[in-house]
Amino acid sequence: MLRGGRGAAAALRRAAGSRGAGGHGQGGQALEPSLLRFLVCPLSKRPLRYDESTNELVNEELGIAYPIIDGIPNMIPEAARTTQKKPPADSLKETSGPAGPQQ
């Protein structure tokens, strides 16, 4: 998903015009760094972190990573892979306490 209106469109045009030869990881080409500030997770609407080693956009909160193929992020949720993630602290409190009110 994009946020930012005209600035996002201009960044996409620049990225499309600056594609050259050369590959990067499995997806072929790295993400244009200027695009990162406009991209958000389509599920949580939160900013994403670019992982250069895997050429993916990572949502730490949800524990998912979107692949980047030929410099284009595949932001379809079904295309995302799950990552190793710790459960949120709130869910630990809920599961470690008593099941219900004590009488």
Side-chain angles (χ1 to χ4, degrees):
M1 301 209 80
L2 289 176
R3 60 179 176 184
R6 290 184 190 170
L12 282 171
R13 282 193 296 276
R14 282 193 306 275
S18 67
R19 289 197 183 130
H24 187 278
Q26 177 183 341
Q29 197 170 10
L31 177 73
E32 174 69 31
S34 62
L35 290 179
L36 193 56
R37 69 178 187 209
F38 298 109
L39 297 174
V40 295
C41 177
L43 298 174
S44 69
K45 311 298 187 255
R46 305 283 304 220
L48 298 162
R49 176 182 61 81
Y50 175 58
D51 186 344
E52 188 174 0
S53 66
T54 60
N55 201 30
E56 294 175 319
L57 293 173
V58 180
N59 180 325
E60 302 284 348
E61 184 180 296
L62 297 180
I64 56 176
Y66 297 97
I68 299 171
I69 302 166
D70 294 330
I72 302 169
N74 184 347
M75 306 287 284
I76 299 170
E78 292 81 13
R81 71 173 181 87
T82 56
T83 62
Q84 298 277 339
K85 103 171 199 162
K86 294 184 232 176
D90 292 340
S91 66
L92 287 176
K93 290 176 189 173
E94 293 172 11
T95 58
S96 62
Q102 295 196 2
Q103 297 179 6

